[in-house]
C-alpha cells in the first residue's frame, strides 16, 4: 500500500492532478536551489558529505558508462558522476530552475553532461542507449501507475547488463524541514519490489527482465539519525533465451517466508528469531566473540533481525543484517521504530553474489546458513576477505555425522576423503535436496535452498516427521536432502574449509546436546501455546510443527543430524 501524507491519496492512476501537486510542492521548496532546500533537512550539509560517497560507492564503477540521471535536481550527484569517469551523463529534472542551476554548476567544466528540463513521466529516450539509469529521491514523487510505467521504460533504455539504481524514502518522512503539505509517497519497500520484479518484455526470441543485485539501508542516515527508512536498490538488465523461471527469492517469500510462516516460526523460537535457541542462543553465542563498542558486525542470514538488534543493543556495535528474503528483511526494518537506539542496517541480497570491500567488518556472525550453500569454500573465502585483520567469525550449522570428525573435530590431521570445497565425500552429505528441519521449510512441505539461508530451525512436514527407527532416520534424512538440494558438511570438513581459507585459531565443537535442549524447550513452548497457535493457524499447521520438532529431536539423539559451532580468527 502506498503511504501518503498531506491529504493526497494515490489511486494508482496517472493524473494531471498528481503532476500539478508535485510541481507546486517543488516550486515551493526549490525557490532557493541549495542542498538544504533539496534535502529538506536541517542536517543536510552533514548528511550530504557522508551519503554522497556512500551512494556512489554502492552504485559502483561508472567509468566509460553512459548514464541518464532522472530527477537530477541541482546536481548533487551529476558532477560527481562525471568526475568518476562516466562517458556521458544526461541529467533530467522537471523543475527548470533546478536543472539550470545544475547546468551552471556542472556544465562548464563537464562537456560530457547534457541537460534537459522534462517530466520523467513524459520522457522518451532511445532504446538500449544507456548503461546506467540513476535516480535519487524521484519515485516517491510519482504515483504507483507512474512508477510502473517508468520502470518499463527503464528496462527499454538500458543496454543488456546495464543497471537501474534508485534510492527512496520509505515508510515515513525522514527530513525535519517544516512543510505546509506533503504529497510524497512513503511506500513500503514491498511496493518497489512488486513493481520492479514485474517488469519484463520479450523482444524477438529474447526475454528481458530486471534482476535484483541488492536492496539496502543507507548507512549514513542510520549513523546520523538512527533512521533505517532511506533505502536504495540496484537491479541489472538480464537478457535470456527463455522466460524467467521462479527465482529463489520469490519462492522463499511466497512459501517458506510468507508473512504467516514468519509469524509461526516466531511463535516457537521467540519474537525476532527463526533459529535454534532464539534469544538465549543469540546471547550465549555472541558473548563468545569479545565484541566491543563501535565494531562492525555482519549478520549473514539475519532473518527477521533478532540477533542483529540484540548484538547492537548489547555491545554498541554497528550490525548489518543480510538475507535473501524480502519478507524477513522488511519485517526487521518495520520493527526499527521500536528499537530507536539500535545501530543496525539491513540488506536483501544473495551472499554468494554480494561483494563488500576487503576488511569491511570486525566480525562475521552466521547462524545455520551454510547448509544452503553447495560451494561452502567460496563463501568462507568471502567471509575471510570481508573481515579486517584480527577479525573474528562465528558459524553454527546443521552437520553430517562422520567417524573421522568424531575422532578429531578440529581437523588436526584427520583423514578425510572430501575436498575443501564441501563437495560430497566422507565428510559431506549432499544431494539435490534440502537440509533437515529448518525454518526455510514451509509447513506445506515445499522448500528450496538459498544462499543466505536464514537462521533457521524448522522444517515443514513432508512425511519425515513420522516415527522411524534410527536406521530409518538416515533414509528420511537422505530423502529430505534430495527434495531440498541442500548439503551438510561434517565437523571435520568445516575445520578443513576454515583452515584452507586462511583462518587461525579454528575451533569446531559438536553442540548437538545443546541443540537437543533448545529443541525440547521449543517443543514444550509450542505445545503449551497450542490453543492460541491452532486458533490462529489451524490444527494441521500445529500438527506439522509438532511432528517436525519431534523428528529433529529424534534425528539429533540418534546421531543422524548434528549441530556444530565454528569459531576462528583472521590473522593480523
Amino acid at each position: 500500500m502506498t503511504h501518503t501524507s498531506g491529504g493526497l491519496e494515490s489511486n494508482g492512476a496517472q493524473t494531471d492532478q498528481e503532476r500539478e501537486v508535485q510541481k507546486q510542492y517543488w516550486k515551493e521548496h526549490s525557490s532557493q536551489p541549495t542542498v538544504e532546500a533539496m534535502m529538506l533537512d536541517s542536517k543536510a550539509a552533514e548528511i550530504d558529505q557522508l551519503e554522497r560517497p556512500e551512494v556512489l560507492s554502492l552504485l559502483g564503477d561508472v567509468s566509460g558508462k553512459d548514464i541518464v540521471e532522472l530527477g537530477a535536481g541541482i546536481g548533487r550527484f551529476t558532477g560527481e558522476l562525471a568526475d568518476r569517469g562516466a562517458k556521458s551523463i544526461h541529467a533530467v529534472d522537471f523543475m527548470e530552475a533546478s536543472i539550470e542551476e545544475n547546468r551552471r554548476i556542472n556544465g562548464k567544466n563537464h562537456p560530457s553532461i547534457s541537460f534537459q528540463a522534462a517530466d520523467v513521466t513524459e520522457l522518451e529516450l532511445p532504446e538500449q542507449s544507456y548503461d546506467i539509469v540513476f535516480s535519487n529521491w524521484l519515485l516517491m514523487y510519482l504515483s504507483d501507475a507512474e512508477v510502473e510505467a517508468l520502470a518499463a521504460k527503464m528496462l527499454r533504455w538500458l543496454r543488456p547488463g546495464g543497471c537501474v539504481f534508485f534510492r527512496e524514502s520509505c515508510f515515513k518522512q525522514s527530513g525535519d524541514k517544516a512543510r505546509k503539505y506533503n504529497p510524497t509517497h512513503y511506500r513500503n519497500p514491498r511496493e518497489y519490489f512488486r513493481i520492479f520484479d514485474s517488469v519484463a518484455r520479450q523482444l524477438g526470441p529474447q526475454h528481458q527482465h530486471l534482476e535484483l543485485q541488492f536492496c539496502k539501508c543507507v548507512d549514513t542516515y542510520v549513523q546520523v539519525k538512527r533512521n533505517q527508512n532511506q533505502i536504495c536498490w540496484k537491479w541489472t538488465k538480464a537478457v535470456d533465451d527463455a522466460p524467467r523461471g521462479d527465482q529463489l527469492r520469490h519462492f522463499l517469500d511466497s512459501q517458506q517466508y510468507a508473512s504467516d510462516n514468519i509469524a509461526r516460526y516466531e511463535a516457537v523460537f521467540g519474537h525476532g528469531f527463526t533459529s535454534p535457541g532464539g534469544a538465549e542462543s543469540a546471547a550465549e553465542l555472541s558473548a563468545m566473540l569479545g565484541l566491543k563498542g563501535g565494531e562492525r558486525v555482519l549478520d549473514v542470514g539475519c532473518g527477521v533481525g533478532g540477533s542483529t538488534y540484540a548484538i547492537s543493543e548489547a555491545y554498541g556495535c554497528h550490525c548489518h543484517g543480510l538475507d535473501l528474503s524480502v519478507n524477513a528483511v522488511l519485517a526487521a526494518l518495520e520493527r526499527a521504530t521500536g528499537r530507536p537506539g539500535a545501530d543496525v542496517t539491513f540488506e536483501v541480497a544473495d551472499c554468494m553474489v554480494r561483494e563488500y570491500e576487503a576488511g569491511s567488518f570486525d566480525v562475521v556472525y552466521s547462524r545455520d546458513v551454510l547448509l544452503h550453500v553447495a560451494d561452502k569454500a567460496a563463501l568462507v573465502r568471502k567471509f575471510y576477505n570481508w573481515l579486517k585483520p584480527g577479525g573474528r567469525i562465528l558459524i553454527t550449522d546443521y552437520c553430517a555425522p562422520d567417524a573421522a570428525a568424531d575422532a578429531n573435530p578440529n581437523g588436526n590431521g584427520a583423514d578425510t576423503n572430501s575436498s575443501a570445497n564441501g563437495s560430497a565425500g566422507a565428510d559431506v552429505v549432499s544431494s539435490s535436496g534440502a537440509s533437515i528441519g529448518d525454518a526455510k521449510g514451509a509447513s506445506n512441505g515445499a522448500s528450496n535452498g538459498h544462499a543466505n539461508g536464514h537462521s533457521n530451525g524448522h522444517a515443514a512436514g513432508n512425511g519425515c516427521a513420522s516415527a522411524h527407527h534410527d536406521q530409518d532416520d538416515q533414509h528420511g534424512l537422505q530423502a529430505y536432502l534430495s527434495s531440498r538440494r541442500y548439503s551438510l558438511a561434517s565437523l571435520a570438513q568445516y575445520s578443513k574449509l576454515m583452515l584452507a581459507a586462511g583462518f587461525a585459531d579454528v575451533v569446531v565443537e559438536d553442540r548437538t546436546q545443546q541443540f537437543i535442549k533448545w529443541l525440547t524447550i521449543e517443543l514444550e513452548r509450542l505445545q503449551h501455546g497450542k490453543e492460541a497457535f491452532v486458533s490462529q493457524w489451524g490444527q494441521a499447521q500445529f500438527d506439522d510443527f509438532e511432528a517436525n520438532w519431534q523428528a529433529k529431536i529424534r534425528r539429533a539423539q540418534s546421531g543422524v543430524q548434528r549441530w556444530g559451532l565454528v569459531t576462528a580468527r583472521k590473522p593480523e
Side-chain angles (χ1 to χ4, degrees):
M1 178 179 179
T2 298
H3 299 278
T4 64
S5 57
L8 178 69
E9 295 184 0
S10 172
N11 60 7
Q14 183 175 347
T15 64
D16 292 340
Q17 180 187 12
E18 170 87 23
R19 303 316 308 141
E20 186 58 32
V21 168
Q22 297 293 352
K23 287 177 181 177
Q24 290 302 318
Y25 177 72
W26 278 108
K27 279 182 181 178
E28 176 186 343
H29 292 289
S30 60
S31 57
Q32 295 181 339
T34 64
V35 169
E36 287 74 16
M38 295 297 100
M39 296 183 69
L40 303 172
D41 198 292
S42 61
K43 294 186 176 181
E46 176 186 359
I47 292 171
D48 179 54
Q49 291 301 309
L50 294 171
E51 78 154 15
R52 259 194 297 171
E54 179 188 353
V55 169
L56 290 168
S57 175
L58 290 169
L59 174 61
D61 183 19
V62 301
S63 59
K65 304 292 178 62
D66 294 310
I67 302 174
V68 58
E69 183 187 5
L70 305 178
I74 63 174
R76 277 211 305 142
F77 291 94
T78 312
E80 295 254 13
L81 291 169
D83 290 339
R84 289 171 179 249
K87 179 181 177 182
S88 70
I89 302 163
H90 186 54
V92 180
D93 198 277
F94 79 149
M95 297 304 299
E96 188 167 351
S98 295
I99 204 69
E100 286 306 312
E101 178 67 6
N102 193 340
R103 188 195 305 273
R104 184 189 69 78
I105 295 170
N106 296 304
K108 183 177 180 180
N109 297 323
H110 299 100
S112 61
I113 304 175
S114 56
F115 302 88
Q116 181 179 0
D119 190 324
V120 296
T121 64
E122 301 170 354
L123 185 65
E124 296 295 338
L125 297 170
E127 290 203 10
Q128 300 192 52
S129 54
Y130 294 98
D131 302 296
I132 297 172
V133 177
F134 176 87
S135 71
N136 184 76
W137 287 328
L138 168 69
L139 304 184
M140 62 198 206
Y141 300 114
L142 307 180
S143 70
D144 288 356
E146 289 166 343
V147 176
E148 290 166 2
L150 182 58
K153 288 182 179 182
M154 290 176 174
L155 181 66
R156 295 199 299 271
W157 297 340
L158 279 177
R159 295 168 182 144
C163 80
V164 173
F165 184 99
F166 61 90
R167 174 273 194 87
E168 303 297 331
S169 298
C170 296
F171 298 119
K172 62 182 181 179
Q173 178 178 316
S174 293
D176 59 8
K177 183 177 179 180
R179 310 172 202 190
K180 294 179 183 178
Y181 65 100
N182 186 358
T184 309
H185 299 276
Y186 298 113
R187 294 179 172 90
N188 187 303
R190 299 175 197 273
E191 290 302 301
Y192 290 113
F193 278 105
R194 177 187 64 80
I195 292 170
F196 281 82
D197 274 330
S198 66
V199 174
R201 70 189 294 233
Q202 184 173 356
L203 191 62
Q206 293 184 332
H207 298 264
Q208 304 176 355
H209 67 273
L210 294 173
E211 189 79 33
L212 179 71
Q213 297 303 300
F214 61 78
C215 164
K216 74 177 298 292
C217 301
V218 176
D219 290 355
T220 295
Y221 270 75
V222 176
Q223 176 184 335
V224 176
K225 304 185 76 168
R226 289 294 186 266
N227 180 340
Q228 288 84 7
N229 300 331
Q230 294 296 315
I231 301 176
C232 59
W233 283 257
K234 185 176 182 179
W235 308 75
T236 56
K237 179 175 179 176
V239 179
D240 302 309
D241 293 331
R244 173 178 54 184
D246 286 337
Q247 293 181 323
L248 187 52
R249 172 170 58 84
H250 301 152
F251 178 85
L252 291 168
D253 285 326
S254 64
Q255 301 289 332
Q256 294 97 328
Y257 274 85
S259 295
D260 275 354
N261 277 341
I262 289 175
R264 285 190 283 268
Y265 302 145
E266 291 186 280
V268 181
F269 293 115
H271 183 70
F273 293 90
T274 54
S275 59
E280 179 185 347
S281 67
E284 177 183 331
L285 295 171
S286 60
M288 300 175 62
L289 289 165
L291 294 163
K292 306 179 190 68
E295 288 191 311
R296 292 178 57 83
V297 179
L298 177 64
D299 184 357
V300 180
C302 65
V304 293
S307 293
T308 319
Y309 282 111
I311 290 172
S312 176
E313 291 168 344
Y315 298 99
C317 300
H318 170 78
C319 291
H320 183 64
L322 173 68
D323 208 290
L324 187 57
S325 167
V326 172
N327 287 340
V329 169
L330 293 187
L333 281 171
E334 288 162 356
R335 297 168 187 186
T337 54
R339 316 288 284 263
D343 183 6
V344 298
T345 52
F346 292 97
E347 178 173 3
V348 179
D350 185 335
C351 65
M352 293 299 292
V353 177
R354 188 70 167 99
E355 294 294 346
Y356 299 104
E357 291 185 7
S360 294
F361 299 97
D362 299 284
V363 171
V364 170
Y365 176 90
S366 181
R367 297 289 309 280
D368 310 310
V369 170
L370 273 71
L371 74 166
H372 304 280
V373 178
D375 192 354
K376 293 174 174 57
L379 184 55
V380 169
R381 288 194 298 269
K382 294 179 84 167
F383 290 164
Y384 184 90
N385 185 54
W386 296 342
L387 280 170
K388 299 175 183 178
R392 295 92 71 202
I393 184 169
L394 184 149
I395 296 170
T396 65
D397 205 12
Y398 295 174
C399 295
D402 182 81
D406 289 341
N408 202 339
N410 288 315
N412 300 322
D415 183 16
T416 68
N417 296 319
S418 298
S419 66
N421 67 359
S423 58
D427 294 303
V428 177
V429 176
S430 177
S431 68
S432 60
S435 108
I436 47 189
D438 64 301
K440 296 285 175 310
S443 57
N444 63 4
S447 182
N448 205 334
H450 76 87
N452 288 4
H454 301 299
S455 302
N456 40 39
H458 163 85
N462 60 357
C464 294
S466 60
H468 294 300
H469 296 296
D470 289 353
Q471 63 270 27
D472 292 330
D473 284 335
Q474 182 63 50
H475 295 304
L477 173 62
Q478 293 292 350
Y480 197 86
L481 291 171
S482 179
S483 68
R484 302 299 199 274
R485 295 179 302 185
Y486 290 1
S487 70
L488 305 185
S490 72
L491 299 169
Q493 184 67 15
Y494 269 112
S495 291
K496 297 181 77 172
L497 292 172
M498 302 300 289
L499 292 168
F503 283 102
D505 301 334
V506 176
V507 178
V508 179
E509 302 178 48
D510 187 336
R511 290 290 190 99
T512 305
Q513 291 306 309
Q514 189 175 37
F515 181 55
I516 293 170
K517 183 194 84 168
W518 284 330
L519 290 173
T520 302
I521 293 171
E522 290 156 3
L523 179 60
E524 291 173 353
R525 181 184 300 135
L526 173 66
Q527 293 169 335
H528 180 74
K530 178 178 179 179
E531 183 177 352
F533 192 105
V534 171
S535 175
Q536 187 165 3
W537 296 299
Q539 184 68 45
Q541 294 287 355
F542 177 86
D543 291 343
D544 280 343
F545 269 61
E546 182 180 51
N548 279 301
W549 253 262
Q550 291 168 340
K552 284 190 290 185
I553 292 171
R554 185 180 57 254
R555 287 192 295 261
Q557 289 172 336
S558 69
V560 169
Q561 174 182 347
R562 292 189 178 179
W563 194 67
L565 169 64
V566 182
T567 57
R569 178 183 59 83
K570 182 175 179 176
E572 297 281 357

